[in-house]
Amino acid sequence: MLAVGPNGAGKTNLLEALHVGTQGFSPRTRSDGELIRFGAHAAGIRLEGMRGGAPLRVGVTLSTVDGKRAELNSTRLRAAEQLRNESATLVFTPDRLAIVKAGPAARRAYFDRSLGRLLPARSSLPADYAAALAQRNAALKLGDRTAIAPWTVQVAALGAELVRARTELLELLGPPFAESAGQLGLPEARLAYDGEPPTESELDARLERDLDRGATGAGPHLHDVSIASAGRDLRSFGSQGEQRTVVLALLVAEASLLAERLEERPLLLLDDVLSELDPQRRRVLVEQVAGRGQTLITATTADALPGEPAQLLEVTPGAVTGG
C-alpha cells in the first residue's frame, strides 16, 4: 500500500495513527497531548481488519481531560499499550536512524523491544532488571549496606538472564539481517553484543565505588550492540545511507522471524524510505517486504515506488482518498 501526497499533507500523521491504533502509543512522542490537533481537546482512531479469519476492531481515544482509552472488539482495555500484545507493528521513520547514530541507550531500547516481540516468554526481563537495579541504586544512595546485599543478588541474576536473552536475540536476527543488508548493498553486516553478564563477586568488588557514585557501575544497563559492515563500526564510520540501510534491514529481518517463528505477519510502516534509495535498492526493498505482512509506504509521488502498489492512497490536508 502506497500513500502519496506533497510534503506537509499528513502522510506521517496517517502512519502515526496506524501505529497508535495497533500499539497504543506513538513511535514519535510519549506525550499523548502532541497527538491531538491544536485547538482541539480530543482525538480518536478507529481501525477495522481481520486477524486469523476473525474480525478485529480497535478504537483509541485521546483526551486532554480523560487521558487515553482503548477498546478491542468493544471490550475496554486496562491500558492502551496492551494493544501491542494483539499485533506486531514495525515502523521506520527518519528519526529511527538514532538506532545506529545515537548512544548505547537507543540501541538497548530498540533491541529490548525486539526481544519482547521475538522471545515473548522473556519479554518482562528488561523491566524486571530495571526494577531491581532501581532498588539497588536507591540503597546505594542511602548507604544502606544491609539493603544493598539482596538487591545485588537480584541484579546479578536478572542481569545475567537479560544478557543471555539479548545474545540469543542477536543470534536470531544476525543471519536474516546480514542477508537483507547485503541485498541492499551493505556487505558483511554483523550484529554483536558488547558486554558480559554481571556477577555477585564483580558487584561486591566494586561496592565502594558504587557507594561513592550512588549508582551501579556494571551490568546490562551499560552494555551496547555493535553494528558493523565489513569490519567498520557504522555508528562512527557509516554514511547516512548505510545507517538507513541498517534500520531497514533490521525491520525486514524481524518481520521474517515473526512470520517464521510466531506465524505472525506484522504491519510494516515505512515513512519516506524511498527518497534516499537509488532505483536498484528501491526494487530490492519492495521485494524484501512483499509477502512479509501488510506494508504502508509513504512517498511524495507514486513513481517513487517500482511497480504498481496493491493500493494507492492520496493524502491531502484533512483527507485520504483511494483504496
Side-chain angles (χ1 to χ4, degrees):
M1 183 162 39
L2 179 66
V4 300
N7 292 329
K11 301 185 299 297
T12 300
N13 289 346
L14 173 63
L15 182 147
E16 186 174 27
L18 287 169
H19 194 280
V20 175
T22 57
Q23 302 297 287
F25 62 97
S26 166
R28 176 184 58 84
T29 177
R30 289 297 178 263
S31 173
D32 293 333
E34 293 184 21
L35 307 179
I36 299 173
R37 183 180 305 195
F38 290 117
H41 299 290
I45 299 166
R46 298 290 180 268
L47 302 178
E48 294 186 9
M50 301 292 291
R51 182 182 59 182
L56 183 69
R57 298 184 304 278
V58 176
V60 177
T61 302
L62 306 164
S63 169
T64 57
V65 177
D66 300 322
K68 182 165 57 180
R69 294 180 295 176
E71 292 183 353
L72 177 65
N73 291 334
S74 302
T75 299
R76 173 80 177 270
L77 299 179
R78 176 179 49 82
E81 284 72 15
Q82 288 178 270
L83 288 169
R84 73 174 75 180
N85 300 322
E86 302 298 328
S87 61
T89 297
L90 306 178
V91 62
F92 174 91
T93 57
D95 61 5
R96 278 295 198 269
L97 296 185
I99 296 168
V100 189
K101 297 171 68 170
R107 282 179 290 285
R108 289 194 300 268
Y110 174 80
F111 286 107
D112 282 347
R113 289 192 296 272
S114 295
L115 173 66
R117 289 187 289 262
L118 289 169
L119 300 173
R122 284 181 271 181
S123 62
S124 66
L125 270 176
D128 293 344
Y129 173 77
L133 179 68
Q135 292 288 349
R136 186 176 193 269
N137 287 344
L140 287 167
K141 289 183 175 68
L142 292 173
D144 188 345
R145 294 172 183 264
T146 301
I148 292 169
W151 291 115
T152 295
V153 175
Q154 287 293 307
V155 165
L158 289 168
E161 285 188 53
L162 180 55
V163 170
R164 284 193 293 271
R166 286 175 175 174
T167 302
E168 181 178 341
L169 172 72
L170 296 185
E171 289 173 351
L172 287 172
L173 279 171
F177 165 71
E179 180 181 5
S180 173
Q183 292 172 355
L184 288 167
L186 197 62
E188 301 176 47
R190 181 173 177 269
L191 305 172
Y193 193 73
D194 184 10
E196 296 294 329
T199 64
E200 289 181 49
S201 59
E202 177 189 15
L203 293 171
D204 287 339
R206 59 171 302 113
L207 179 58
E208 297 304 323
R209 282 174 289 170
D210 286 355
L211 283 165
D212 288 342
R213 296 172 63 248
T216 302
H221 60 291
L222 300 172
H223 293 172
D224 199 357
V225 174
S226 169
I227 304 175
S229 170
R232 287 183 301 123
D233 175 67
L234 294 177
R235 180 191 180 194
S236 301
F237 302 107
S239 68
Q240 177 138 318
E242 289 174 320
Q243 292 168 344
R244 176 177 289 247
T245 297
V246 164
V247 179
L248 291 171
L250 283 170
L251 294 183
V252 170
E254 185 171 348
S256 299
L257 289 170
L258 285 168
E260 174 189 325
R261 292 172 56 85
L262 305 179
E263 298 184 352
E264 179 178 3
R265 296 185 182 276
L267 172 63
L268 296 174
L269 303 174
L270 307 180
D271 190 27
D272 192 29
V273 296
L274 304 175
S275 62
E276 294 189 26
L277 296 177
D278 60 47
Q280 172 61 20
R281 287 181 173 82
R282 291 181 188 181
R283 284 191 292 272
V284 170
L285 178 63
V286 169
E287 291 170 0
Q288 287 186 350
V289 301
R292 286 188 166 88
Q294 191 171 16
T295 302
L296 173 65
I297 299 176
T298 68
T300 53
T301 60
D303 60 8
L305 185 77
E308 293 294 323
Q311 291 179 281
L312 179 63
L313 305 177
E314 296 188 11
V315 181
T316 56
V320 179
T321 58

